[in-house]
Amino acid sequence: MIADPVSPSGAVAADPARDAAARQVAAWSGRPDAPVVRSFFDRATFTATHVVHDPATRQAAVVDSVLDYDPASGRTGHLSALAVLDYLRAEGLQVAWHLETHVHADHLSAAPWLQHQTGGALAIGAEIVRVQQVFGKIFNEGTEFARDGSQFDRLFTDGETFRLGAIDAIALHVPGHTPADMAFVIGDAAFIGDTLFMPDYGTARADFPGGDARMLYRSTRRLLSLPDATRLFLCHDYGAPGRPDFAWETTVGAERAGNIHVHDGVAEDSFVAMRTTRDAALDLPRLIMPSVQVNMRGGHLPPPESNGTRYIKIPLDTL
């Protein structure tokens, strides 16, 4: 459960999972054996894929990988994923995890393809089942589409701990953008998906089915109550006026001081009003139809039909 904020400064009620993550970050921050992160930016979808590894054991996790997809032709490709694979092999890394922070609506996941190449377990938050229920109905998937998360090897619950080699890790449920968003805190590095963006860009939208702006605010405050030195790795950057380069790494301290939507002092009701108004003016992501259909299946393409061809559905006048 997400604890309710008790003040606009970001203080929250008792939150054992968050507190455990904070202690973990403090223990790993500044250590020479802290996790190493290499990021790959896919300009076509503005997505940052992160490879995090334990320098002692060389165990790695791949977070939010990208499958190339051309909506005009329906063709898929692996150039983005190949860059990740080449790095893994060059560094001699052993992949233990393929982590998905949520069911993405703006890019297709390459996790199954990378998993076939490298091994490792595919994992997502346990609330994926809610997303599968909602979008299973929207896309009129039949009873053959399992809505129990069984397409993934591991479903993390809030506060569940795991390991990346010798490095402590914990999963934090941070819903709002979708009901299933999960942040993975590995050592002193947090991979937070679509919750916060760079300080000069703000926060993620909350208007998809199952999204909730008030819940998003509480999730951002939960993340921003981690130690200021916590390294935050974001899933996207769309650029910002006056900033020439794309960026996907920041800190809790920088977000608390300067995030244009949720810096310290922004009240919940004010955020909800802003986010709701802003979301109402946004277009749907260009790749939402193929992305959700594929990603709710754990990155697997829809099954082939009787002619051997796979199809993406586009529900008319629905979303």
Side-chain angles (χ1 to χ4, degrees):
M1 294 292 291
I2 302 297
D4 291 343
V6 297
S7 80
S9 66
V12 295
D15 185 341
R18 185 278 319 275
D19 293 345
R23 290 192 297 270
Q24 174 189 294
V25 169
W28 282 95
S29 183
R31 286 175 47 163
D33 56 347
V36 175
V37 182
R38 168 70 185 276
S39 301
F40 299 81
F41 189 68
D42 178 58
R43 179 62 175 76
T45 61
F46 303 101
T47 301
T49 296
H50 307 291
V51 177
V52 51
H53 78 265
D54 172 14
T57 66
R58 312 301 290 175
Q59 277 201 2
V62 180
V63 186
D64 293 334
S65 58
V66 176
L67 179 73
D68 303 322
Y69 177 76
D70 176 21
S73 66
R75 294 187 182 278
T76 60
H78 302 103
L79 286 178
S80 296
L82 274 169
V84 174
L85 182 61
D86 288 345
Y87 170 76
L88 293 167
R89 289 174 171 169
E91 294 295 316
L93 302 180
Q94 176 188 3
V95 177
W97 298 99
H98 299 271
L99 301 175
E100 297 289 324
T101 56
H102 64 294
V103 172
H104 309 279
D106 37 29
H107 73 271
L108 284 65
S109 171
W113 186 83
L114 281 167
Q115 186 180 34
H116 179 73
Q117 309 296 323
T118 66
L122 174 58
I124 200 169
E127 293 299 310
I128 176 64
V129 297
R130 292 181 57 190
V131 177
Q132 290 176 330
Q133 290 286 348
V134 170
F135 281 98
K137 293 177 180 178
I138 288 174
F139 290 111
N140 197 33
E141 300 290 351
T143 56
E144 66 275 10
F145 171 59
R147 294 162 169 83
D148 58 2
S150 57
Q151 300 87 347
F152 299 84
D153 301 310
R154 178 84 168 263
L155 301 181
F156 281 106
T157 57
D158 183 46
E160 189 171 355
T161 59
F162 61 107
R163 305 276 288 180
L164 182 66
I167 298 176
D168 302 308
I170 188 168
L172 294 179
H173 186 211
V174 286
H177 175 61
T178 79
D181 282 63
M182 189 68 74
F184 298 101
V185 186
I186 301 174
D188 67 333
F191 302 86
I192 62 174
D194 290 12
T195 48
L196 295 162
F197 296 137
M198 293 299 291
D200 57 5
Y201 199 88
T203 56
R205 65 194 297 165
D207 61 328
F208 296 147
D212 186 289
R214 194 168 298 278
M215 194 172 289
L216 178 63
Y217 176 87
R218 298 178 184 184
S219 291
T220 63
R221 296 317 310 180
R222 191 184 202 202
L223 290 171
L224 296 182
S225 60
L226 294 173
D228 281 356
T230 308
R231 294 183 287 161
L232 300 180
F233 292 89
L234 319 177
C235 189
H236 296 288
D237 185 46
Y238 303 98
R243 173 160 55 86
D245 300 318
F246 292 105
W248 44 81
E249 179 181 356
T250 182
T251 65
V252 164
E255 293 281 7
R256 291 187 64 163
N259 186 288
I260 60 173
H261 293 166
V262 287
H263 58 79
D264 284 356
V266 174
E268 181 173 316
D269 287 346
S270 176
F271 173 83
V272 170
M274 177 281 300
R275 190 70 263 175
T276 302
T277 300
R278 183 179 176 88
D279 289 349
L282 295 176
D283 293 330
L284 286 175
R286 182 174 63 99
L287 296 182
I288 187 171
M289 299 300 182
S291 295
V292 172
Q293 286 176 76
V294 168
N295 296 335
M296 71 181 183
R297 290 178 162 88
H300 295 282
L301 300 176
E305 298 194 5
S306 58
N307 62 355
T309 301
R310 304 174 190 272
Y311 292 88
I312 294 293
K313 295 179 179 179
I314 300 179
L316 301 179
D317 303 317
T318 300
L319 292 178

